Amino acid sequence: MPQVSIALAPGDGIGPEIMNATLDLMKAAGVHDHVEFVPVEMGAAVFAKGNTRGMTAEAISKTEDCGILFKGPMGTPSGGGGKSINVTARKLWNAYANFRTFKTLPGVETVYSKAGIHVDFSIVRENIEDTYGGVEHRLSNDTIQCKRLISAPGCDEVHRFAFQTARIMGLKKVHCGHKANIMKMTDGLFLERFKTAGKDFPEIETGDVIVDALCLNLVVKPQQYQMIVLPNLQGDIVSDLCAGLVGGLGFAPSANIGNHISIFEAVHGTAPDIAGKGIGNPTSLILSGLMMLRHICLVKEAANLENALLATLESGAHTGDFGDKSKPTLNTQQFVDAIKSNLGNKPKTVPAVPVPAGNTQTFTRPPRPNGQQVIRTFKNLVTHVVGCDIYLDSPLAPISLAEEMNRCAEDTPFRLTLISNRGTQVWPTGSVYTECVDYYRVRFELKDGVVAGSFGQSRCVSLMDKIAEKFTVCSYELLRTFEGVKGYSMAQGQ
Ligand code: NAD
């Protein structure tokens, strides 16, 4: 009687071919004695019916019932309303930590394997926040913005996952990759929460590295890292770079872990150029499946399968996209048959994975939450309104805009303190060489003698209202202090 139900979405293109092969392999390893796979409808066929989420309501509810989704690659329609199923699924179900491992595999030749450098580390990428909020607006004729949101509880969830996983893996050091030297507040928060989370794991050393230096270090000396935690967009880019270190996306498994629902997937695309030919490489999906088996406590089956895969790769068996071309190229099913024939065998040139006599733990699906949770880190901080930034669509030159804004601020508690354009101060001081576009930030702060906290945000809204009589106000942001600390950044050049 199966103990675990897993929602199964084979995907598009080569997805069904590599998924069938992977399931065939899992069956041979005894996985189906413990697992029931529940087919769900997601992907191109669902988009084609006009469903812009690419997944049916039934697929959503079945996945929520199972708590685990095993998926093949899925195509995102170009243009139109169709959104990436991968991004939708991660965000919908709060699968906040994208966990990807990068390991040199026998038989998969890379510049590093040729140089005798063994690559073995993992990336934990924050999966929900950052620019992936998809909050984008056209602000003026010439300017579009994408809001980058980073929250303390969002950071805390991903950092806790990283340290807990590092502890289970017995890692000695975890790095945080970031750009806090430039994005001092958003990446600054990501880094600060990393350091705070690390204090609960005293046996693990912490380090941090600016993301551009990280890319250089990874290419030059990848073996210096064990685990790196990154914000969403930087993690997306860096993890593909890392896949390149071990032979490409076909060898880099991916798990998206949440508190309730987790998603295991191949990270390569649907490979439309070879779809239907039965020649796709199933290794990435198999490796992601191994992560899934370990997640549901089928450690013995995962270890057996991993050893069989390593022994097969070591023997030189390969699909058309990699490997020793002097050896015959196998199609998807032949490749999986070779792995099946190695079940019970162990690799000889790389360490075998220890196979336990049995599984000691069982997977329990977390209970469905009663309602949507509001997650919070900081509560009840003392905040005071100290001004506002008003964003304007205007073709005026800074000096003319300043005259207009000063007039608007008369008879209010505010004075104009700054005008910036694309983040660079252009008033009260600036350079004639700074080019301006048609979108300004105008900053108003309390006049001398006005006490912070003596009024709320309505005075800022009244000022905005006054400005809106003459200008197009695109948006406004309150300037507040939190426990006396400014909750806003300075402009470049201020
Ligand atoms: P792709 O990964 O599908 O293909 C890039 C190249 O790699 C192709 O030459 C392809 O044949 C090869 N390739 C990829 N996976 C392979 C495998 N397992 N075995 C052998 N060769 C393989 O990238 P693309 O062409 O940019 O994207 C095609 C479609 O996939 C797009 O619709 C895109 O949106 C989608 N996509 C989906 C995912 C996902 O679901 N995780 C990820 C990336 C792209």
Side-chain angles (χ1 to χ4, degrees):
M1 175 70 183
Q3 307 131 10
V4 185
S5 297
I6 294 177
L8 183 80
D12 306 317
I14 60 166
E17 300 161 38
I18 58 172
M19 183 60 86
N20 284 340
T22 303
L23 293 180
D24 183 32
L25 179 62
M26 286 189 174
K27 194 170 188 180
V31 169
H32 290 56
D33 297 342
H34 310 277
V35 174
E36 169 202 28
F37 288 97
V38 180
V40 294
E41 267 188 279
M42 294 183 186
V46 183
F47 278 123
K49 287 182 201 155
N51 179 325
T52 51
R53 279 216 274 208
M55 47 176 109
T56 62
E58 196 189 11
I60 293 174
S61 94
K62 277 184 181 173
T63 305
E64 291 179 354
D65 287 345
C66 292
I68 294 169
L69 172 65
F70 190 31
K71 66 175 281 296
M74 292 177 190
T76 304
S78 301
K83 294 232 178 191
S84 157
I85 294 180
N86 305 316
V87 178
T88 302
R90 292 168 198 169
K91 291 166 79 74
L92 185 67
W93 292 312
N94 205 52
Y96 52 77
N98 180 223
F99 180 52
R100 286 168 71 173
T101 55
F102 306 93
K103 205 170 180 174
T104 303
L105 291 167
V108 183
E109 199 170 74
T110 66
V111 283
Y112 298 93
S113 66
K114 279 197 234 168
I117 296 168
H118 185 73
V119 176
D120 184 4
F121 67 94
S122 50
I123 296 261
V124 177
R125 161 189 168 195
E126 196 287 317
N127 235 354
I128 309 287
E129 305 191 336
D130 202 338
T131 47
Y132 280 70
V135 186
E136 297 187 288
H137 297 95
R138 185 166 187 163
L139 301 167
S140 64
N141 286 348
D142 286 341
T143 314
I144 291 177
Q145 81 165 355
C146 172
K147 275 205 176 183
R148 180 169 197 254
L149 299 174
I150 303 280
S151 77
C155 296
D156 289 347
E157 283 193 318
V158 76
H159 291 319
R160 258 197 316 269
F161 168 82
F163 283 111
Q164 279 162 356
T165 306
R167 176 175 275 174
I168 292 166
M169 293 169 76
L171 305 185
K172 294 191 169 53
K173 187 160 184 177
V174 178
H175 281 87
C176 178
H178 61 85
K179 194 75 187 170
N181 53 329
I182 304 296
M183 291 175 281
K184 293 180 192 302
M185 295 192 66
T186 45
D187 272 25
L189 178 66
F190 191 79
L191 178 58
E192 186 261 313
R193 299 314 300 164
F194 170 79
K195 289 178 181 167
T196 302
K199 289 185 183 145
D200 291 334
F201 301 82
E203 79 279 17
I204 301 173
E205 199 187 332
T206 56
D208 75 276
V209 53
I210 293 172
V211 68
D212 35 347
L214 172 66
C215 291
L216 175 70
N217 296 347
L218 280 166
V219 172
V220 173
K221 198 178 168 195
Q223 64 275 36
Q224 67 189 288
Y225 295 109
Q226 298 176 28
M227 178 183 278
I228 309 155
V229 197
L230 288 145
N232 203 342
L233 179 61
Q234 295 163 33
D236 185 16
I237 296 164
V238 172
S239 50
D240 271 22
L241 181 154
C242 297
L245 306 178
V246 294
L249 293 180
F251 303 98
S254 171
N256 300 285
I257 306 292
N259 292 334
H260 297 276
I261 297 171
S262 297
I263 304 159
F264 298 84
E265 61 182 348
V267 282
H268 56 74
T270 58
D273 50 336
I274 56 166
K277 296 182 179 166
I279 57 172
N281 178 1
T283 306
S284 171
L285 192 61
I286 294 170
L287 289 169
S288 303
L290 296 182
M291 282 179 151
M292 181 177 75
L293 295 184
R294 293 190 166 107
H295 183 79
I296 59 171
C297 306
L298 296 184
V299 182
K300 182 180 165 192
E301 289 76 4
N304 269 327
L305 274 172
E306 187 163 354
N307 283 333
L309 172 66
L310 293 172
T312 307
L313 291 170
E314 188 181 72
S315 72
H318 67 93
T319 48
D321 54 312
F322 78 104
D324 182 351
K325 300 294 177 209
S326 69
K327 301 218 164 137
T329 296
L330 305 182
N331 66 28
T332 311
Q333 191 58 47
Q334 288 167 332
F335 183 69
V336 158
D337 287 342
I339 305 174
K340 277 161 66 178
S341 70
N342 268 322
L343 278 167
N345 294 341
K346 294 193 171 157
K348 295 183 183 67
T349 59
V350 292
V353 181
V355 182
N359 294 318
T360 50
Q361 291 180 318
T362 49
F363 174 76
T364 314
R365 192 201 163 323
R368 189 185 175 88
N370 292 329
Q372 269 181 287
Q373 309 294 305
V374 177
I375 49 173
R376 298 188 69 186
T377 296
F378 300 115
K379 292 174 198 154
N380 307 323
L381 299 187
V382 176
T383 71
H384 290 312
V385 174
V386 293
C388 57
D389 280 349
I390 295 181
Y391 293 82
L392 301 176
D393 171 353
S394 170
L396 288 181
I399 184 78
S400 312
L401 192 61
E403 283 167 17
E404 294 275 1
M405 292 301 115
N406 272 323
R407 266 197 290 279
C408 291
E410 285 168 10
D411 307 323
T412 75
F414 305 106
R415 66 191 174 92
L416 178 68
T417 57
L418 157 80
I419 298 177
S420 72
N421 195 288
R422 294 189 286 175
T424 305
Q425 176 169 306
V426 291
W427 186 93
T429 59
S431 165
V432 72
Y433 294 103
T434 306
E435 287 182 330
C436 294
V437 299
D438 59 1
Y439 174 71
Y440 285 95
R441 183 238 322 243
V442 183
R443 174 164 288 181
F444 294 94
E445 291 176 87
L446 299 179
K447 282 178 179 158
D448 292 342
V450 180
V451 179
S454 58
F455 55 83
Q457 68 164 318
S458 59
R459 302 293 287 271
C460 300
V461 175
S462 303
L463 173 64
M464 180 176 72
D465 212 27
K466 198 167 167 189
I467 293 171
E469 285 171 12
K470 228 174 149 184
F471 288 85
T472 299
V473 174
C474 302
S475 64
Y476 114 116
E477 302 282 352
L478 265 187
L479 302 183
R480 287 196 286 171
T481 57
F482 293 79
E483 300 288 340
V485 178
K486 282 180 180 174
Y488 47 95
S489 62
M490 300 289 114
Q492 201 76 37
Q494 199 178 4

